[in-house]
Amino acid sequence: MALQRLTALFILFSILAIELTCLIESISTNNPRIEWKKIKNGVPSYVYFQNQISGDLEHRAQLIQPANLLILNTSRADTAEYRCEVAAIDDHKHFDEILISLAVRVKPVVPRCSVPVAVTVGTSSELRCLENEGFPASQYRWFRNNEELPQDPKSSPKFINSTYSINADTGGLKFRRMRKEDAGEYYCQAKNEAGHAQCPAQLMEVYDVDIVGIFLKVLAALAGFTIVMVGVYHAHKHGCFSSGKDHTGTNYKPPAADDGIDYAEADEGHFRHKSSFII
């Protein structure tokens, strides 16, 4: 009994299915024992054992006679080494194996891009781009008005005065100091071995004066003034500003001078005079 003695490398760009071949060239044993193992990060686990699929491929793999392994709905999690082991007790050579390395590549999805609508000349700003589905991890490129921004602006006479820097690993496009010439339509492209994808272009305008900031400040001032006036109106309505009459005001009347008459005892029903009179 002999297997095809080679270490194979499959690079898969589809997520539909892949067949791993374990070719038995000659065999005398009628029912050889066949096992498949998945080796991830140096740790082996059973894929096909005792005539059944097991592990994380239990419901999406099958053995195709005599010993090929078909994996359905492949994903990047299937990237690993797979070992086919065949034991044939009636053969001169009782055991043989082959090792297959499987690398699943997944095309990037449309990245999420963040482009500021308006910025001010002389300020710093950052544009962001990110996607998490592609495998291996995507590398990022930025475009302005359908023209790719060089990784180093100093390498191009057209961009030599620009102050941007691009991080191809994270997708960040940072401007240290914005210029009027930096205005335009920007989009980002994510790319790996399986393909590429890009987000829709977004317009970024660069102003000499912070019009947006001035508008917000004026709006805040008007709002504050309105609140104060409403407060004054309600306070006046509830009499908070009316002044009470005091003893020093013009309406104050001093008590009359004493006329010598005792009014304390002249209450109703008890009238009496102090001097006699003749009728």
Side-chain angles (χ1 to χ4, degrees), residues 2 6 70 76 82 84 88-90 100 110 139 163 173 193 195-196 212 228 238 252 268:
L6 49 100
L70 178 65
R76 62 185 182 182
Y82 292 83
C84 174
I89 59 174
D90 295 334
I100 299 173
V110 175
Q139 293 288 293
T163 62
L173 170 59
E193 298 174 11
H196 67 272
V212 176
V228 171
H238 290 83
Y252 174 71
E268 186 178 355

Side-chain angles (χ1 to χ4, degrees), residues 200-274:
Q202 301 177 50
L203 178 63
M204 182 181 72
E205 296 184 291
V206 182
Y207 294 101
D208 288 320
V209 182
D210 188 5
I211 297 177
V212 176
I214 293 175
F215 173 77
L216 292 177
K217 290 179 182 178
V218 171
L219 188 63
L222 289 175
F225 178 77
T226 302
I227 292 174
V228 171
M229 293 305 296
V230 170
V232 170
Y233 170 77
H234 283 286
H236 185 271
K237 186 177 180 181
H238 290 83
C240 295
F241 294 103
S242 60
S243 57
K245 297 179 181 180
D246 52 34
H247 294 293
T248 60
T250 56
N251 294 327
Y252 174 71
K253 294 182 179 180
D258 188 5
D259 55 7
I261 301 176
D262 186 2
Y263 294 95
E265 298 179 2
D267 54 344
E268 186 178 355
H270 296 282
F271 173 79
R272 59 190 179 91
H273 57 83
K274 293 184 178 180

Side-chain angles (χ1 to χ4, degrees), residues 4-276:
Q4 194 173 23
R5 296 294 300 168
L6 49 100
T7 300
L9 171 63
F10 284 88
I11 299 179
L12 182 65
F13 297 102
S14 170
I15 59 171
L16 298 178
I18 181 66
E19 184 175 342
L20 305 182
T21 302
C22 183
L23 181 59
I24 303 175
E25 294 180 340
S26 63
I27 191 169
S28 300
T29 304
N30 290 328
N31 294 306
R33 179 173 58 84
I34 300 172
E35 294 180 359
W36 277 92
K37 294 178 182 177
K38 178 180 180 179
I39 305 171
K40 188 87 169 180
N41 299 322
V43 180
S45 60
Y46 280 109
V47 172
Y48 182 77
F49 179 68
Q50 293 183 345
N51 300 322
Q52 62 181 5
I53 302 294
S54 60
D56 58 354
L57 296 178
E58 182 177 359
H59 300 293
R60 55 187 186 89
Q62 62 187 65
L63 190 73
I64 298 179
Q65 297 298 328
N68 293 353
L69 181 68
L70 178 65
I71 302 176
L72 305 173
N73 299 322
T74 52
S75 68
R76 62 185 182 182
D78 296 324
T79 296
E81 291 184 322
Y82 292 83
R83 187 167 65 216
C84 174
E85 301 176 356
V86 179
I89 59 174
D90 295 334
D91 282 62
H92 176 70
K93 186 177 182 180
H94 299 313
F95 179 83
D96 204 353
E97 64 181 24
I98 62 169
L99 187 67
I100 299 173
S101 296
L102 175 64
V104 180
R105 303 295 188 235
V106 180
K107 178 183 176 180
V109 298
V110 175
R112 301 181 300 276
C113 296
S114 175
V115 178
V117 176
V119 293
T120 308
V121 170
T123 61
S124 62
S125 186
E126 181 177 3
L127 287 67
R128 297 183 177 88
C129 178
L130 182 65
E131 73 87 28
N132 296 318
E133 298 300 323
F135 186 81
S138 295
Q139 293 288 293
Y140 299 94
R141 300 188 297 171
W142 278 95
F143 294 78
R144 186 185 71 194
N145 299 331
N146 294 320
E147 183 178 3
E148 183 178 358
L149 298 178
Q151 190 72 23
D152 181 8
K154 306 302 181 185
S155 64
S156 171
K158 186 173 183 178
F159 299 94
I160 193 169
N161 294 322
S162 296
T163 62
Y164 71 80
S165 61
I166 300 176
N167 190 322
D169 296 324
T170 64
L173 170 59
K174 293 183 179 180
F175 288 87
R176 191 170 64 255
R177 188 175 61 257
M178 298 298 302
R179 305 178 306 138
K180 289 283 289 184
E181 295 79 2
D182 295 323
E185 289 189 336
Y186 286 81
Y187 68 87
C188 167
Q189 183 185 90
K191 184 178 182 180
N192 65 9
E193 298 174 11
H196 67 272
Q198 63 191 42
C199 62
Q202 301 177 50
L203 178 63
M204 182 181 72
E205 296 184 291
V206 182
Y207 294 101
D208 288 320
V209 182
D210 188 5
I211 297 177
V212 176
I214 293 175
F215 173 77
L216 292 177
K217 290 179 182 178
V218 171
L219 188 63
L222 289 175
F225 178 77
T226 302
I227 292 174
V228 171
M229 293 305 296
V230 170
V232 170
Y233 170 77
H234 283 286
H236 185 271
K237 186 177 180 181
H238 290 83
C240 295
F241 294 103
S242 60
S243 57
K245 297 179 181 180
D246 52 34
H247 294 293
T248 60
T250 56
N251 294 327
Y252 174 71
K253 294 182 179 180
D258 188 5
D259 55 7
I261 301 176
D262 186 2
Y263 294 95
E265 298 179 2
D267 54 344
E268 186 178 355
H270 296 282
F271 173 79
R272 59 190 179 91
H273 57 83
K274 293 184 178 180
S275 60
S276 59

